[in-house]
Amino acid sequence: MRIGICPGSFDPVTNGHIDIFERGSKLVDRLIVAVFENPTKKPLFSMAEREAMLHETTRHIANIEVVSFGGLLNQYAIERGATIIIRGLRALTDFEYEFQRALLMKKVEPTIETVFIMASTQHSYISSTGIRELACFGGKLEGLVPSYVEGELKLKFKDKYKA
């Protein structure tokens, strides 16, 4: 069984992430979408909230499992029997960063391959950071995030989205 992991902070999950999950799920028998806590960032949503949003927005993908984890990705992948890390790329800057991470992963765990999936054109400009900023100022979120996530963002910034 081929098991892949698509790790990220997903704060919040975007339509770009969903696209990568849909496409990545076709490459493996099981795709683990792994929410990790980045100690260098202060997230908008808690781990539990991010997990709930991912559960809700990936129900249509049969072979996905949503989990959260802490620690090193290579150790977690070994524990779960994963041999593939799936990463989405939006731009050249993503590639440089992810390429270095993939080389480091290969060095510390030679049995794990990293697979890059290019963002679809219609999602290439979407980032969680941009979505949080847009929501913070009451901007239009339609088409950028799943409707469930849009609702959760509007709840977080309810003073900006008065009816």
Side-chain angles (χ1 to χ4, degrees), residues 110-140:
T111 63
I112 297 175
E113 293 293 338
T114 300
V115 174
F116 298 120
I117 298 178
M118 297 302 300
S120 297
T121 306
Q122 70 266 32
H123 303 300
S124 62
Y125 59 91
I126 301 173
S127 71
S128 292
T129 302
I131 295 299
R132 287 192 308 272
E133 184 176 308
L134 201 57
C136 175
F137 292 102
K140 184 179 174 186

Side-chain angles (χ1 to χ4, degrees), residues 15-162:
N15 286 344
H17 292 129
I18 301 298
D19 178 55
I20 296 297
F21 302 155
E22 289 169 347
R23 293 163 54 210
S25 71
K26 295 174 185 170
L27 303 175
V28 294
D29 300 306
R30 182 168 28 145
L31 179 60
I32 300 168
V33 175
V35 182
F36 71 91
E37 193 71 49
N38 185 337
T40 64
K41 292 183 179 180
K42 185 176 184 329
L44 175 62
F45 291 99
S46 71
M47 290 284 278
E49 289 171 320
R50 288 181 274 160
E51 248 189 282
M53 285 188 284
L54 282 161
H55 279 293
E56 183 63 33
T57 58
T58 60
R59 289 178 194 264
H60 66 289
I61 309 170
N63 64 333
I64 277 191
E65 175 186 357
V66 175
V67 300
S68 57
F69 80 100
L72 293 172
L73 177 58
N74 64 307
Q75 290 174 345
Y76 183 73
I78 291 166
E79 288 170 17
R80 297 302 306 269
T83 56
I84 300 170
I85 305 297
I86 295 177
R87 305 294 294 180
L89 298 177
R90 292 170 298 164
L92 188 58
T93 52
D94 286 348
F95 176 76
E96 291 177 30
Y97 175 75
E98 294 297 345
F99 182 69
Q100 289 177 349
R101 289 177 55 147
L103 290 174
L104 180 59
M105 176 66 75
K106 195 54 140 170
K107 176 70 175 166
V108 298
E109 192 50 58
T111 63
I112 297 175
E113 293 293 338
T114 300
V115 174
F116 298 120
I117 298 178
M118 297 302 300
S120 297
T121 306
Q122 70 266 32
H123 303 300
S124 62
Y125 59 91
I126 301 173
S127 71
S128 292
T129 302
I131 295 299
R132 287 192 308 272
E133 184 176 308
L134 201 57
C136 175
F137 292 102
K140 184 179 174 186
L141 301 170
E142 184 181 327
L144 303 174
V145 295
S147 59
Y148 179 82
V149 175
E150 182 178 351
E152 294 298 305
L153 283 161
K154 287 180 176 180
L155 282 174
K156 284 279 185 193
F157 297 104
K158 59 184 169 230
D159 59 321
K160 303 292 183 183
Y161 289 99
K162 294 182 181 172

